[in-house]
Amino acid sequence: MSTISDHLQEIRQRIQSAARTTERNPSTVHLLAVSKTQPTNAILEAADAGQKAFGENYEQEAVSKILAIRASRPDLKLEWHFIGPIQSNKTRSIAEHFDWVHSVDREKIARRLSDQRPAALAPLNICLQVNISGEASKSGIHPENLLGMAKTVSAMPRLKLRGLMAIPEPESSPDRQREPFKAMKVLFNQLRKAGYDVDTLSMGMSDDMDAAIEEGATTVRIGTAIFGKRNYSSRKDSR
Ligand SMILES: *Cc1c(COP(=O)(O)O)cnc(C)c1O
């Protein structure tokens, strides 16, 4: 039976070959292991296989795992990324426990995260979530409003704008997967041209990571291809 460690190895190889296809340096593509609904022992197994960055979607579930791991394994220096929808009553806990938030799409949420980020911690790294598939998705900033949001967020003192994130509608054909990733890369370049010092394009999941890397992803968010199927019954957070 293959293990989390084997899966991580396979994913790293997939990253390498997708990067090489477009003559990108594979070290410019970061792997975020999406551990939502997975138990702490699965996270520890990945950490012991060298994985450092983990993505979580549900605040309550995530924080209990973060605290448990910190208590049992203070030697591990893991990086925690919040990638799920954000309710305003969760911003304080997210600002206190995470290093990154990929799913910022409203000014109100950004302001709360900045106000609530503890002074002792480094500024919170932020990606703006873009609605790149149009009406099909309810979350994400409309591309027309992106520059305005970038301006607002980059002025917030306890946030550091790092880049963009998208969750395109699932498509099975690689050619159709590519379209929204291409559009994201255009938006990313526009931000850079406008003078924003962004370095992160968070896009690509288990089923479309190869296309995302070929179109310029700098972070892929991979869950099932590392941990296997999600166990939703273990989910503690009620949203
Ligand atoms: C669950 C999730 C992922 C991982 O998806 P897989 O298909 O399991 O790789 C990536 N990004 C976000 C925002 C998610 O919610």
Side-chain angles (χ1 to χ4, degrees), residues 34 36 57 83 165 167 205-207 221-225 230:
V34 177
K36 64 183 176 211
N57 290 51
I83 62 175
M165 181 273 233
I167 314 172
M205 315 197 334
S206 296
D207 291 333
R221 308 179 309 266
I222 309 300
T224 42
R230 281 185 275 280

PDB file of all heavy atoms in Angstrom, residues 34 36 57 83 165 167 205-207 221-225 230, ligand 1:
ATOM      1  N   VAL A  34      -2.857  20.168   1.275  1.00  0.00           N
ATOM      2  CA  VAL A  34      -4.166  20.546   1.824  1.00  0.00           C
ATOM      3  C   VAL A  34      -4.669  19.426   2.738  1.00  0.00           C
ATOM      4  O   VAL A  34      -5.039  18.350   2.281  1.00  0.00           O
ATOM      5  CB  VAL A  34      -5.170  20.849   0.694  1.00  0.00           C
ATOM      6  CG1 VAL A  34      -6.554  21.160   1.275  1.00  0.00           C
ATOM      7  CG2 VAL A  34      -4.676  22.026  -0.141  1.00  0.00           C
ATOM      8  N   LYS A  36      -7.179  19.541   5.098  1.00  0.00           N
ATOM      9  CA  LYS A  36      -8.529  19.650   5.679  1.00  0.00           C
ATOM     10  C   LYS A  36      -9.136  18.254   5.820  1.00  0.00           C
ATOM     11  O   LYS A  36      -8.958  17.417   4.923  1.00  0.00           O
ATOM     12  CB  LYS A  36      -9.407  20.524   4.791  1.00  0.00           C
ATOM     13  CG  LYS A  36      -9.666  19.948   3.415  1.00  0.00           C
ATOM     14  CD  LYS A  36     -10.493  20.903   2.551  1.00  0.00           C
ATOM     15  CE  LYS A  36     -10.659  20.353   1.158  1.00  0.00           C
ATOM     16  NZ  LYS A  36     -10.759  21.409   0.151  1.00  0.00           N
ATOM     17  N   ASN A  57      -9.133  24.564   5.541  1.00  0.00           N
ATOM     18  CA  ASN A  57     -10.319  25.317   5.129  1.00  0.00           C
ATOM     19  C   ASN A  57     -11.255  25.708   6.256  1.00  0.00           C
ATOM     20  O   ASN A  57     -12.083  26.590   6.070  1.00  0.00           O
ATOM     21  CB  ASN A  57     -11.190  24.489   4.171  1.00  0.00           C
ATOM     22  CG  ASN A  57     -10.568  24.306   2.836  1.00  0.00           C
ATOM     23  OD1 ASN A  57      -9.413  23.885   2.753  1.00  0.00           O
ATOM     24  ND2 ASN A  57     -11.300  24.615   1.783  1.00  0.00           N
ATOM     25  N   ILE A  83      -7.239  28.549   3.439  1.00  0.00           N
ATOM     26  CA  ILE A  83      -7.633  28.602   2.026  1.00  0.00           C
ATOM     27  C   ILE A  83      -9.141  28.532   1.827  1.00  0.00           C
ATOM     28  O   ILE A  83      -9.616  28.484   0.702  1.00  0.00           O
ATOM     29  CB  ILE A  83      -6.941  27.476   1.208  1.00  0.00           C
ATOM     30  CG1 ILE A  83      -7.357  26.090   1.717  1.00  0.00           C
ATOM     31  CG2 ILE A  83      -5.413  27.626   1.253  1.00  0.00           C
ATOM     32  CD1 ILE A  83      -6.809  24.941   0.861  1.00  0.00           C
ATOM     33  N   MET A 165      -5.081  34.073  -5.908  1.00  0.00           N
ATOM     34  CA  MET A 165      -5.504  32.677  -5.805  1.00  0.00           C
ATOM     35  C   MET A 165      -6.775  32.482  -6.612  1.00  0.00           C
ATOM     36  O   MET A 165      -7.586  33.412  -6.735  1.00  0.00           O
ATOM     37  CB  MET A 165      -5.752  32.346  -4.331  1.00  0.00           C
ATOM     38  CG  MET A 165      -6.185  30.918  -4.047  1.00  0.00           C
ATOM     39  SD  MET A 165      -7.961  30.675  -4.150  1.00  0.00           S
ATOM     40  CE  MET A 165      -8.271  29.914  -2.574  1.00  0.00           C
ATOM     41  N   ILE A 167      -9.840  29.260  -7.779  1.00  0.00           N
ATOM     42  CA  ILE A 167     -10.364  27.886  -7.817  1.00  0.00           C
ATOM     43  C   ILE A 167     -11.282  27.806  -9.038  1.00  0.00           C
ATOM     44  O   ILE A 167     -12.483  28.028  -8.926  1.00  0.00           O
ATOM     45  CB  ILE A 167     -11.201  27.553  -6.558  1.00  0.00           C
ATOM     46  CG1 ILE A 167     -10.487  28.004  -5.279  1.00  0.00           C
ATOM     47  CG2 ILE A 167     -11.553  26.071  -6.512  1.00  0.00           C
ATOM     48  CD1 ILE A 167     -11.346  27.878  -4.022  1.00  0.00           C
ATOM     49  N   MET A 205      -4.997  22.171  -8.325  1.00  0.00           N
ATOM     50  CA  MET A 205      -5.329  21.202  -7.287  1.00  0.00           C
ATOM     51  C   MET A 205      -4.980  19.814  -7.842  1.00  0.00           C
ATOM     52  O   MET A 205      -4.343  19.701  -8.883  1.00  0.00           O
ATOM     53  CB  MET A 205      -6.811  21.335  -6.908  1.00  0.00           C
ATOM     54  CG  MET A 205      -7.188  22.799  -6.752  1.00  0.00           C
ATOM     55  SD  MET A 205      -8.692  23.277  -5.888  1.00  0.00           S
ATOM     56  CE  MET A 205      -9.813  21.948  -6.001  1.00  0.00           C
ATOM     57  N   SER A 206      -5.395  18.754  -7.142  1.00  0.00           N
ATOM     58  CA  SER A 206      -4.966  17.408  -7.562  1.00  0.00           C
ATOM     59  C   SER A 206      -5.241  17.128  -9.047  1.00  0.00           C
ATOM     60  O   SER A 206      -4.415  16.528  -9.724  1.00  0.00           O
ATOM     61  CB  SER A 206      -5.661  16.341  -6.713  1.00  0.00           C
ATOM     62  OG  SER A 206      -5.252  16.459  -5.369  1.00  0.00           O
ATOM     63  N   ASP A 207      -6.419  17.562  -9.535  1.00  0.00           N
ATOM     64  CA  ASP A 207      -6.803  17.166 -10.890  1.00  0.00           C
ATOM     65  C   ASP A 207      -6.344  18.116 -11.992  1.00  0.00           C
ATOM     66  O   ASP A 207      -6.497  17.799 -13.170  1.00  0.00           O
ATOM     67  CB  ASP A 207      -8.336  17.025 -10.975  1.00  0.00           C
ATOM     68  CG  ASP A 207      -8.823  15.832 -10.165  1.00  0.00           C
ATOM     69  OD1 ASP A 207      -8.039  14.868  -9.996  1.00  0.00           O
ATOM     70  OD2 ASP A 207      -9.972  15.876  -9.694  1.00  0.00           O
ATOM     71  N   ARG A 221      -2.085  23.667  -4.651  1.00  0.00           N
ATOM     72  CA  ARG A 221      -2.719  23.251  -3.392  1.00  0.00           C
ATOM     73  C   ARG A 221      -3.265  21.839  -3.571  1.00  0.00           C
ATOM     74  O   ARG A 221      -4.275  21.633  -4.240  1.00  0.00           O
ATOM     75  CB  ARG A 221      -3.861  24.226  -3.053  1.00  0.00           C
ATOM     76  CG  ARG A 221      -3.458  25.708  -3.070  1.00  0.00           C
ATOM     77  CD  ARG A 221      -4.663  26.590  -2.755  1.00  0.00           C
ATOM     78  NE  ARG A 221      -5.810  26.268  -3.593  1.00  0.00           N
ATOM     79  CZ  ARG A 221      -6.095  26.894  -4.741  1.00  0.00           C
ATOM     80  NH1 ARG A 221      -5.369  27.905  -5.182  1.00  0.00           N
ATOM     81  NH2 ARG A 221      -7.147  26.517  -5.448  1.00  0.00           N
ATOM     82  N   ILE A 222      -2.585  20.871  -2.976  1.00  0.00           N
ATOM     83  CA  ILE A 222      -2.888  19.475  -3.272  1.00  0.00           C
ATOM     84  C   ILE A 222      -3.381  18.730  -2.032  1.00  0.00           C
ATOM     85  O   ILE A 222      -2.682  18.659  -1.025  1.00  0.00           O
ATOM     86  CB  ILE A 222      -1.626  18.755  -3.825  1.00  0.00           C
ATOM     87  CG1 ILE A 222      -1.010  19.548  -4.985  1.00  0.00           C
ATOM     88  CG2 ILE A 222      -1.979  17.330  -4.251  1.00  0.00           C
ATOM     89  CD1 ILE A 222      -1.906  19.761  -6.181  1.00  0.00           C
ATOM     90  N   GLY A 223      -4.599  18.184  -2.123  1.00  0.00           N
ATOM     91  CA  GLY A 223      -5.168  17.431  -1.013  1.00  0.00           C
ATOM     92  C   GLY A 223      -5.230  15.941  -1.288  1.00  0.00           C
ATOM     93  O   GLY A 223      -4.383  15.164  -0.836  1.00  0.00           O
ATOM     94  N   THR A 224      -6.229  15.534  -2.080  1.00  0.00           N
ATOM     95  CA  THR A 224      -6.484  14.093  -2.259  1.00  0.00           C
ATOM     96  C   THR A 224      -5.303  13.332  -2.851  1.00  0.00           C
ATOM     97  O   THR A 224      -5.084  12.182  -2.490  1.00  0.00           O
ATOM     98  CB  THR A 224      -7.733  13.859  -3.142  1.00  0.00           C
ATOM     99  OG1 THR A 224      -7.703  14.776  -4.221  1.00  0.00           O
ATOM    100  CG2 THR A 224      -8.998  14.084  -2.372  1.00  0.00           C
ATOM    101  N   ALA A 225      -4.532  13.940  -3.715  1.00  0.00           N
ATOM    102  CA  ALA A 225      -3.408  13.209  -4.317  1.00  0.00           C
ATOM    103  C   ALA A 225      -2.305  12.936  -3.291  1.00  0.00           C
ATOM    104  O   ALA A 225      -1.439  12.104  -3.527  1.00  0.00           O
ATOM    105  CB  ALA A 225      -2.849  13.972  -5.519  1.00  0.00           C
ATOM    106  N   ARG A 230     -11.072  12.508   1.305  1.00  0.00           N
ATOM    107  CA  ARG A 230     -11.320  13.215   2.558  1.00  0.00           C
ATOM    108  C   ARG A 230     -12.372  12.530   3.391  1.00  0.00           C
ATOM    109  O   ARG A 230     -13.323  11.958   2.875  1.00  0.00           O
ATOM    110  CB  ARG A 230     -11.754  14.652   2.265  1.00  0.00           C
ATOM    111  CG  ARG A 230     -10.580  15.522   1.921  1.00  0.00           C
ATOM    112  CD  ARG A 230     -10.982  16.953   1.749  1.00  0.00           C
ATOM    113  NE  ARG A 230     -11.460  17.264   0.427  1.00  0.00           N
ATOM    114  CZ  ARG A 230     -10.674  17.489  -0.620  1.00  0.00           C
ATOM    115  NH1 ARG A 230      -9.376  17.403  -0.500  1.00  0.00           N
ATOM    116  NH2 ARG A 230     -11.190  17.785  -1.792  1.00  0.00           N
TER     117      ARG A 230
HETATM  118  C1  LIG B   1      -9.770  21.145  -0.880  1.00  0.00           C
HETATM  119  C2  LIG B   1      -9.066  22.223  -1.583  1.00  0.00           C
HETATM  120  C3  LIG B   1      -7.909  21.964  -2.337  1.00  0.00           C
HETATM  121  C4  LIG B   1      -7.350  20.570  -2.577  1.00  0.00           C
HETATM  122  O1  LIG B   1      -8.146  19.885  -3.485  1.00  0.00           O
HETATM  123  P1  LIG B   1      -7.744  18.404  -4.027  1.00  0.00           P
HETATM  124  O2  LIG B   1      -8.600  18.221  -5.194  1.00  0.00           O
HETATM  125  O3  LIG B   1      -8.061  17.474  -2.890  1.00  0.00           O
HETATM  126  O4  LIG B   1      -6.310  18.430  -4.333  1.00  0.00           O
HETATM  127  C5  LIG B   1      -7.254  23.040  -2.908  1.00  0.00           C
HETATM  128  N1  LIG B   1      -7.697  24.307  -2.754  1.00  0.00           N
HETATM  129  C6  LIG B   1      -8.807  24.598  -2.047  1.00  0.00           C
HETATM  130  C7  LIG B   1      -9.246  26.018  -1.912  1.00  0.00           C
HETATM  131  C8  LIG B   1      -9.520  23.566  -1.451  1.00  0.00           C
HETATM  132  O5  LIG B   1     -10.639  23.859  -0.764  1.00  0.00           O
END
